[in-house]
Amino acid sequence: MVVVGAGLAGVRAGESLRAQGFAGRLTLVSDERELSYDRPPLTKQLVSGTLTEADVRLAGAEDFGARWIRGVAAVGLDRERRRVRLADGTALPYDGLVLAPGAKARSWPGAPVPAGVLTVRGLADVRALRAEVAGGAREVVVVGAGFVGVELASSLSGLGVRVTLVEPSDAPLRALGGVVSGVVTAAARRAGVVLRLGVGVRGFRAAGGRVGAVELVDGGVLPADCVVVAIGMEPATRWLVGSGLALPGGRIHCDERLFARGAGAPGAPDHGVVVAGDAAWCDAVRGADGPVPLEHWSNAAAQGELAARNLLAGPAAAEPYDHVPSFWTAAFGLRIRSVGLPGSGDRVVVEAGEPAEGAALVAHYRGGRLVGAVSVNQGRLLPAYARRLRAERCIGPGENKTSGM
């Protein structure tokens, strides 16, 4: 068995293979030299210094008897010969393959950027950002107000850094809806973060090869000792082009049982290859317009475990993926949690709390049916919504278990 990717999904897959009784050769491939680590704390506790690098290592990652190949990227896949080709020329044969390559931070498009313009996705990125702050950076511009951008703005402001958060849309965390966005906006301003909403970035000004300012499309100029670009992630799947797998939007298409689909219609599954984690485009996780990619911790963990189990079980005994999506984040004193797919709703209802006081439980409905819920400092109420979502997915055998989700 070969697992490509040594993040949470890959490690959970390796653990699951052993737990299910696989005693053969197990190889995990990672393009990082780091020991496996947990990503969610990176932009929060690790940047802020409340956790150390040792604290974010994935417990047990070294304990299931695998051969580890670190610091070597996968560069090709030959499904006919069942070989994974590595950058050092190695060809790894496999009987079963778990694809859990994860994603990379999206870089600033266009010309090379000056020194001091960073992205944050891995441990090395956090080290670089902390080095900037330790070296005297006091004006930091964060470009992008999604989850990573908001978390970084919160962590950096807590270190005494003056932070400006720039977002081309009209609200931070827009995917969670206007109510939550409004609560986050107010909290960020109370923390001293300057918000520039509804305006994009044109480029960067540099002196001596180092960034000194950010140019906005409206003509504004923001001084900057350091810039963090947080404009999303790209699946780490370019090496799979030409493999015959379906790669919509760069993600790996898989059926409801996490078997990778081939390119073209009807996209027959390859029962020797399963998919898990951020790079998955799964038929079992559907919004109003089709499959929805998930880049959440709980999804990576659950898919990694099931993908490995199904790989061993084979198609006849494989189980559909029926995990209810969930995630959490924390920023500016707010603890935000979500279940389901709130971004796929067409009606939003505040069902508890007072948003003006920084607390709310917001339910999202589509066609009168609950599809997701978000809590802000109201986490005790969320399990009931998770139970409702789980119950609605438990329908008769042979039907689409993910209908409407």
Side-chain angles (χ1 to χ4, degrees):
M1 295 291 180
V2 173
V3 180
V4 177
L8 179 65
V11 168
R12 289 291 181 266
E15 292 172 339
S16 179
L17 286 167
R18 292 304 194 208
Q20 298 300 314
F22 176 70
R25 187 167 186 169
L26 172 58
T27 302
L28 272 78
V29 178
S30 174
D31 60 0
E32 290 188 272
R33 295 189 180 276
E34 309 281 356
L35 297 177
S36 296
Y37 56 88
D38 216 6
R39 291 190 188 277
L42 299 188
T43 51
K44 299 184 283 291
Q45 296 98 324
L46 200 61
V47 168
S48 67
T50 58
L51 291 181
T52 68
E53 291 189 11
D55 295 326
V56 304
R57 301 294 181 187
L58 282 175
E62 309 299 313
D63 299 339
F64 50 83
R67 172 197 179 198
W68 289 82
I69 299 177
R70 302 186 193 279
V72 182
V75 296
L77 172 60
D78 183 340
R79 291 195 296 137
E80 183 176 349
R81 298 178 59 204
R82 296 200 170 201
R83 298 284 189 275
V84 175
R85 185 163 51 89
L86 304 184
D88 64 1
T90 302
L92 291 177
Y94 67 84
D95 298 309
L97 174 64
V98 181
L99 293 176
K104 305 290 185 183
R106 183 172 287 117
S107 301
W108 184 255
V113 297
V117 177
L118 312 176
T119 58
V120 175
R121 174 68 179 171
L123 268 178
D125 303 324
V126 174
R127 292 181 192 129
L129 178 57
R130 287 185 59 84
E132 291 283 342
V133 175
R138 288 297 175 264
E139 292 272 1
V140 178
V141 175
V142 178
V143 181
F147 296 110
V148 170
V150 167
E151 290 167 0
L152 286 171
S154 175
S155 299
L156 290 167
S157 65
L159 294 175
V161 175
R162 178 177 169 82
V163 179
T164 302
L165 185 58
V166 181
E167 168 59 40
S169 71
D170 58 1
L173 299 188
R174 186 181 180 187
L176 297 182
V179 174
V180 175
S181 294
V183 175
V184 173
T185 296
R189 287 178 172 150
R190 285 196 301 271
V193 172
V194 177
L195 296 175
R196 293 299 306 271
L197 303 175
V199 61
V201 170
R202 175 177 289 121
F204 310 108
R205 291 184 182 178
R210 182 171 180 83
V211 70
V214 176
E215 297 180 348
L216 304 180
V217 295
D218 65 0
V221 178
L222 303 174
D225 302 317
C226 174
V227 176
V228 183
V229 175
I231 55 175
M233 291 178 282
E234 297 177 345
T237 58
R238 292 185 182 180
W239 63 281
L240 291 170
V241 173
S243 67
L245 294 178
L247 301 170
R251 299 183 188 273
I252 311 165
H253 193 183
C254 57
D255 68 10
E256 292 187 351
R257 289 160 176 77
L258 305 180
F259 291 109
R261 287 195 177 278
D270 182 334
H271 295 130
V273 182
V274 289
V275 188
D278 292 351
W281 181 263
C282 182
D283 287 339
V285 185
R286 305 184 71 86
D289 300 317
V292 175
L294 295 176
E295 297 170 351
H296 304 323
W297 188 98
S298 65
N299 180 68
Q303 284 190 343
E305 190 280 329
L306 181 64
R309 183 149 41 94
N310 283 349
L311 186 60
L312 289 176
E319 303 170 18
Y321 182 65
D322 62 358
H323 177 73
V324 175
S326 65
F327 87 95
W328 74 272
T329 188
F332 306 117
L334 306 174
R335 187 170 177 86
I336 302 169
R337 298 177 59 194
S338 171
V339 293
L341 298 174
S344 66
D346 56 25
R347 184 169 65 94
V348 176
V349 181
V350 178
E351 299 192 344
E354 293 292 341
E357 299 176 4
L361 190 293
V362 185
H364 293 242
Y365 296 89
R366 186 173 71 244
R369 182 182 179 211
L370 180 72
V371 293
V374 185
S375 70
V376 182
N377 293 343
Q378 297 277 286
R380 71 189 187 283
L381 303 178
L382 207 59
Y385 288 83
R387 289 192 292 271
R388 285 174 60 185
L389 289 166
R390 193 170 292 113
E392 290 187 14
R393 291 159 64 94
C394 296
I395 56 180
E399 297 180 341
N400 182 356
K401 294 191 72 171
T402 59
S403 174
M405 275 293 293

